[in-house]
Amino acid sequence: MAKAGLTEEAVLRAAIAIADEKGLNQVTLKAIADRLRIKTPSLYTYVDGLPGLNNLLAIYGLQTLRNELAEAAVGLSGRDAVHAMGSAYLRFARKNPGLYEATQSVNKWQDERTEKLSSEVIDLVGKVLAAFPQAEKDQTHLIRMFRSICHGFASLDRNHGFGMPVSVEESFFLAIELMLAGIQSEYCENAG
Amino acid sequence: MAKAGLTEEAVLRAAIAIADEKGLNQVTLKAIADRLRIKTPSLYTYVDGLPGLNNLLAIYGLQTLRNELAEAAVGLSGRDAVHAMGSAYLRFARKNPGLYEATQSVNKWQDERTEKLSSEVIDLVGKVLAAFPQAEKDQTHLIRMFRSICHGFASLDRNHGFGMPVSVEESFFLAIELMLAGIQSEYCENAG
DNA sequence: GGATATTACCTAATATGATTAGGTATGTCA
DNA sequence: TGACATACCTAATCATATTAGGTAATATCC
């Protein structure tokens, strides 16, 4: 009986692979154990059951998303920063569909770490939107609009909700463009 | 042994109730059977297992959504119609969270009926957006933007993704408003 | 009104997966 | 070399989905 030398990270990696290949609901302890060539109960050494594993997935997904959003906006400001961050968001969701899915079920568990990571993502969005002249109070509205567009596109795209043979990236770019145009027309030119 | 006199519709109603009360992943044949005071295998008389039930949920959800969207836009046009349809979308998702969730997993099964219903929903959106002067090609982009905002708000709201003590309805209204302002500023006033 | 067919629900059994309890073999270190 | 920790295991239990086939209530036909 050779020891596989597993770690929490190895289990997480296997889970991510299954999630991205077959969807989050295919991430079972059985499937992970099979992939790692061990028996299911052995996994309990590394993760706290299926709920604990889902939490790990959410944390890792949010960390990755936060890092990629932050990196995307480096050195950019204004419209460019918003577009870059939006593109990074969509790219992350497409490249890591299972992991992205995991980040969405976060708020069911009220974990301290996921709460903090979610805040950090929202703060990043807030920063790139802060360049636009909007009433203090509307900051939350605008963050919500941006997040909804990003998540809406990511989610519908993942569920094959976009059937037309038209580039999703192009649609997404235009959506961000119209959002920004809307902000500028509401708050600057036609104010009042 | 008294006969309960069940029907497919009764099973569906029980499933909807559980989905809306406890979430779609709590819709198990066991839970439905318990609620109807019968044994699990008896359900196979009415529905085609759990996959068949999920399909029924998706169909019923899409039908309801389509009807409510259509009704919301009756007698309205232009901005009013778009706002009314958006509000109806969000209202449906909030009032029937489990049913709404079911409509999202539609495209996994490629069912003829769900495909048709999805098209009908998209057509409705296309109709209220058609009042705005946009390039023919951009029609798809705008429909996608509207759907993404609606679904993004609905989904984030359902997952408690909006933590700030700011009205979600107000955020949503502003998002639609900015989308429309963006469309008008891009296509009419500042064209080119 | 009684024989028969259908309906509506049941019990029994199997499969998959999560989880707990507790065992065994392998490696580390005094 | 022997004690112990580690890493993985088997065995057992529970929950749920599903299939097979049985029984009692109801509807139908003569």
Side-chain angles (χ1 to χ4, degrees):
Chain A
M1 178 190 325
K3 294 197 178 183
L6 298 177
T7 59
E8 181 190 86
E9 198 199 323
V11 174
L12 180 57
R13 265 205 308 270
I16 292 170
I18 294 168
D20 285 342
E21 286 165 19
K22 306 182 186 171
L24 190 61
N25 60 353
Q26 295 299 305
V27 177
T28 64
L29 294 185
K30 180 70 161 53
I32 294 169
D34 285 352
R35 175 178 280 251
L36 296 174
R37 297 164 186 281
I38 60 174
K39 302 296 176 178
T40 309
S42 305
L43 289 171
Y44 285 78
T45 307
Y46 308 103
V47 297
D48 194 8
L50 198 50
L53 178 65
N54 278 312
N55 207 25
L56 283 184
L57 281 171
I59 290 171
Y60 183 75
L62 282 174
Q63 281 174 345
T64 309
L65 178 60
R66 176 203 57 187
N67 294 345
E68 297 197 354
L69 293 189
E71 200 172 323
V74 166
L76 301 176
S77 65
R79 312 171 75 87
D80 289 346
V82 177
H83 275 295
M85 192 169 278
S87 295
Y89 191 107
L90 200 60
R91 206 180 315 125
F92 171 76
R94 298 187 111 176
K95 197 173 170 188
N96 315 277
L99 206 48
Y100 181 70
E101 209 177 341
T103 66
Q104 287 310 119
S105 48
V106 156
N107 297 283
K108 292 172 188 163
W109 294 304
Q110 298 289 2
D111 183 278
E112 201 177 82
R113 289 165 297 178
T114 55
E115 202 122 337
K116 182 158 176 290
L117 286 165
S118 297
S119 295
E120 289 174 11
V121 168
I122 293 171
D123 286 349
L124 284 172
V125 174
K127 275 184 189 161
V128 299
L129 289 177
F132 295 84
Q134 65 277 148
E136 174 86 5
K137 183 187 142 209
D138 285 3
Q139 176 77 2
T140 296
H141 294 321
L142 296 184
I143 292 174
R144 286 177 174 177
M145 180 178 185
F146 180 74
R147 288 176 63 210
S148 293
I149 291 175
C150 289
H151 173 57
F153 264 90
S155 179
L156 291 173
D157 187 40
R158 181 168 51 79
N159 292 332
H160 311 104
F162 296 137
M164 299 293 287
V166 173
S167 161
V168 173
E169 284 81 1
E170 213 172 291
S171 296
F172 182 71
F173 186 90
L174 181 64
I176 298 294
E177 197 68 15
L178 292 184
M179 178 187 78
L180 294 175
I183 291 174
Q184 299 209 317
S185 92
E186 286 283 307
Y187 291 100
C188 306
E189 302 164 37
N190 312 330
Chain B
M1 177 188 327
K3 293 198 178 181
L6 297 177
T7 59
E8 180 190 88
E9 197 199 324
V11 174
L12 180 58
R13 266 205 307 270
I16 292 170
I18 294 168
D20 285 342
E21 287 166 19
K22 306 182 186 173
L24 190 61
N25 60 352
Q26 295 298 304
V27 176
T28 63
L29 295 185
K30 179 71 162 51
I32 295 169
D34 285 350
R35 177 177 278 250
L36 295 173
R37 295 165 187 281
I38 59 174
K39 302 295 177 180
T40 310
S42 304
L43 289 171
Y44 285 78
T45 308
Y46 308 103
V47 297
D48 194 8
L50 199 50
L53 178 65
N54 278 313
N55 208 24
L56 283 183
L57 280 170
I59 291 171
Y60 183 75
L62 282 174
Q63 282 173 342
T64 309
L65 177 60
R66 176 203 58 188
N67 293 346
E68 298 197 355
L69 292 188
E71 200 172 321
V74 166
L76 300 176
S77 65
R79 311 171 75 85
D80 289 346
V82 177
H83 275 295
M85 191 168 279
S87 295
Y89 191 106
L90 201 59
R91 206 179 316 124
F92 170 77
R94 299 186 112 178
K95 198 173 168 188
N96 315 278
L99 207 49
Y100 180 71
E101 210 177 339
T103 66
Q104 287 309 121
S105 48
V106 154
N107 296 283
K108 292 173 188 164
W109 295 303
Q110 299 287 4
D111 183 279
E112 202 178 80
R113 289 166 297 177
T114 56
E115 203 123 340
K116 183 158 174 291
L117 286 164
S118 297
S119 294
E120 289 174 12
V121 168
I122 292 172
D123 287 349
L124 283 171
V125 173
K127 275 184 189 161
V128 299
L129 288 177
F132 295 84
Q134 65 277 149
E136 175 85 7
K137 182 189 143 210
D138 285 3
Q139 177 78 0
T140 296
H141 294 319
L142 296 184
I143 291 174
R144 286 176 175 179
M145 181 179 184
F146 180 73
R147 288 176 63 210
S148 293
I149 291 175
C150 289
H151 172 57
F153 265 91
S155 179
L156 292 173
D157 188 39
R158 181 167 52 77
N159 292 331
H160 311 103
F162 295 137
M164 298 294 285
V166 173
S167 160
V168 173
E169 284 82 359
E170 213 172 291
S171 296
F172 183 71
F173 186 89
L174 181 63
I176 299 294
E177 196 67 15
L178 292 184
M179 177 187 78
L180 294 174
I183 291 173
Q184 298 208 319
S185 91
E186 287 283 306
Y187 293 100
C188 304
E189 301 166 38
N190 311 328

